[in-house]
Amino acid sequence: MKNMQTLTVGLGERSYPIHIGSGLLTRAELLQKAVPRKRVAIVSNTTVAPLYMEKLQHTLQSIGVVSVTIILPDGEEYKNSDTLNLIYDALLTHRCERTTPLIALGGGVVGDMTGYAAATYLRGVPFIQIPTTLLAQVDSSVGGKTGINHPLGKNMIGAFYQPQLVLADTDTLDTLPDKELAAGLAEVIKYGLIRDLPFLEWLEQNIDKLLARDTVALQYAIARSCQNKAEVVEADERESGERALLNLGHTFGHAIESGMGYGNWLHGEGVAAGTVMAADLSQRLGWIGAQDVARIRGLFERARLPVVAPDLGAEKYLDLMGLDKKVEGGKIRFVLLKQLGRAVVYGDANPELLRQTLAACCK
Ligand code: NAD
Ligand code: GLY
């Protein structure tokens, strides 16, 4: 395996590279093109900044770039308008300009909030993603979905706003807690289930290596995930079709996350239990077999992810899922599996079958 792989998200003039590999935080030449000016603002949080801020600042200094740092409180429960305002306050206080790039250094929470700040501050400033969780390296840093939560629903306020560069330094995963690594695997498994059966099979064979943080296996899984994501985003940047498939398990999962209170279930944990629910519903519709559902559940279990959802009560689930961004004409549209490796969006799930899934999958 090469030390670094580079993929491209092909969006015409807004195309950008994703660099994946070890030691990238010290490679100033990778940042240089996206940082043409002498100043940047780096947004991070109280956990990640002490680990990696100094290294990044040092790298930037080596090419004559000084940085304003903005350190947010850590947690999904802070992914809201109050925290977003902290970013705007700091940018204005430091008189950051239209040409000052915003760099997100952290997981998906920092990335989503920084991206939304970049999309809106002075009506848009350049944006760079430096993801430091597995979830952010395989999913949230790529594709330009940015935003914050609302008390009534997850990621309800946001914008599509692409970064100019994604720098995924796999060394940062060394400090990631096991539970967070597992949460990232939920999104990795997602790509196999929705569109890449050979990758699903590879994951079944290599999940233990990934959990053991085998560097070659991790880099392969990150690159293959990003390749899948880039292809989907290139085909459907603003989610008028295929991109919705990336939400497998998310309609149920977001209901779990907001129903349990943001921060109590990790996003990836909600996606894992939610994907088992989507698989159960797909089976009830007669699309996949019991052995497929067992295979999916087995892989999540091996990845040390939850496969049983919390019992919020059917009414609460229906209420929360009624707020999903994919709802159309009042109908909840689920991403379901026609077969392993092939997902569809389906808006006609029989309410009785849905209730059966909720009863069967929640404890
Ligand atoms: P997160 O950002 O909360 O990070 C998880 C935890 O790990 C945090 O406590 C964080 O401080 C810590 N951390 C980060 N990097 C670390 C490191 N290298 N070492 C030690 N600790 C580290 O969570 P996440 O799982 O990265 O992201 C979840 C968020 O991403 C959710 O809000 C979800 O909605 C969003 N998301 C967005 C997209 C998108 O397309 N924009 C896709 C998927 C998920
Ligand atoms: N994570 C879903 C998307 O980017 O579309």
Side-chain angles (χ1 to χ4, degrees):
M1 177 78 51
K2 279 181 288 167
N3 208 24
M4 182 177 89
Q5 282 166 276
T6 300
L7 307 172
T8 302
V9 183
L11 292 169
E13 282 180 352
R14 291 174 299 117
S15 297
Y16 55 93
I18 309 169
H19 300 302
I20 302 159
S22 164
L24 305 196
L25 270 184
T26 57
R27 297 208 19 204
E29 79 280 10
L30 300 175
L31 284 158
Q32 197 141 28
K33 192 165 158 235
V35 185
R37 308 281 160 157
K38 293 291 164 220
R39 204 155 77 118
V40 297
I42 308 172
V43 183
S44 191
N45 72 19
T46 49
T47 305
V48 179
L51 294 168
Y52 300 111
M53 183 64 86
E54 208 178 297
K55 194 181 240 185
L56 177 59
Q57 283 185 299
H58 191 260
T59 302
L60 288 163
Q61 273 159 14
S62 75
I63 47 172
V65 176
V66 294
S67 43
V68 168
T69 60
I70 304 169
I71 313 295
L72 307 177
D74 180 12
E76 182 75 36
E77 64 274 33
Y78 296 107
K79 187 180 168 184
N80 57 30
S81 53
D82 289 344
T83 313
L84 183 68
N85 265 322
L86 296 178
I87 305 181
Y88 296 136
D89 289 348
L91 294 173
L92 286 164
T93 305
H94 289 95
R95 297 174 186 268
C96 292
E97 300 171 357
R98 269 214 172 123
T99 50
T100 310
L102 270 189
I103 300 182
L105 175 69
V109 170
V110 165
D112 281 11
M113 279 198 292
T114 308
Y116 190 48
T120 47
Y121 180 67
L122 306 181
R123 301 200 180 90
V125 297
F127 172 41
I128 295 168
Q129 285 272 21
I130 304 192
T132 62
T133 62
L134 180 62
L135 185 140
Q137 294 188 355
V138 299
D139 192 350
S140 63
S141 65
V142 175
K145 276 193 184 175
T146 71
I148 55 171
N149 298 329
H150 186 278
L152 292 178
K154 183 146 165 73
N155 294 338
M156 282 295 156
I157 318 294
F160 287 99
Y161 194 69
Q162 300 293 341
Q164 298 193 339
L165 164 70
V166 179
L167 199 72
D169 184 337
T170 50
D171 293 349
T172 60
L173 302 180
D174 291 348
T175 53
L176 194 66
D178 287 342
K179 199 171 148 76
E180 298 291 350
L181 188 85
L185 289 175
E187 302 280 18
V188 174
I189 293 169
K190 168 185 85 177
Y191 295 112
L193 287 172
I194 62 169
R195 71 193 303 275
D196 192 351
L197 185 57
F199 186 36
L200 186 71
E201 287 159 356
W202 182 90
L203 287 167
E204 288 175 322
Q205 280 153 21
N206 290 279
I207 197 81
D208 297 330
K209 278 192 191 167
L210 294 172
L211 288 166
R213 300 171 193 245
D214 176 292
T215 48
V216 175
L218 271 175
Q219 189 170 325
Y220 177 80
I222 294 165
R224 183 124 178 187
S225 298
C226 286
Q227 185 61 46
N228 271 292
K229 179 131 191 196
E231 286 170 14
V232 173
V233 170
E234 284 164 6
D236 178 25
E237 183 186 2
R238 296 180 76 90
E239 199 169 307
S240 50
E242 187 186 353
R243 186 163 182 172
L245 303 181
L246 294 173
N247 284 311
L248 176 68
H250 286 56
T251 305
F252 293 110
H254 283 167
I256 295 172
E257 274 187 87
S258 61
M260 292 299 285
Y262 297 125
N264 288 314
W265 270 56
L266 300 183
H267 177 71
E269 293 176 334
V271 168
T275 299
V276 174
M277 294 166 94
D280 179 280
L281 186 55
S282 307
Q283 187 200 343
R284 287 175 201 279
L285 285 160
W287 295 348
I288 60 173
Q291 72 288 358
D292 295 322
V293 181
R295 201 170 149 189
I296 295 168
R297 191 181 287 117
L299 185 55
F300 283 127
E301 275 173 342
R302 285 180 61 206
R304 299 176 200 153
L305 284 161
V307 293
V308 178
D311 190 4
L312 303 173
E315 296 318 314
K316 175 122 185 187
Y317 268 106
L318 294 171
D319 194 36
L320 288 167
M321 292 192 300
L323 274 169
D324 189 79
K325 287 188 287 309
K326 290 185 295 306
V327 167
E328 246 178 46
K331 273 193 180 171
I332 305 173
R333 293 160 72 241
F334 291 97
V335 180
L336 300 176
L337 293 168
K338 277 280 181 182
Q339 56 192 61
L340 296 193
R342 189 157 82 84
V344 292
V345 177
Y346 189 64
D348 282 321
N350 175 325
E352 183 45 36
L353 294 186
L354 178 54
R355 283 181 185 275
Q356 286 173 16
T357 288
L358 291 171
C361 296
C362 302
K363 288 239 164 44

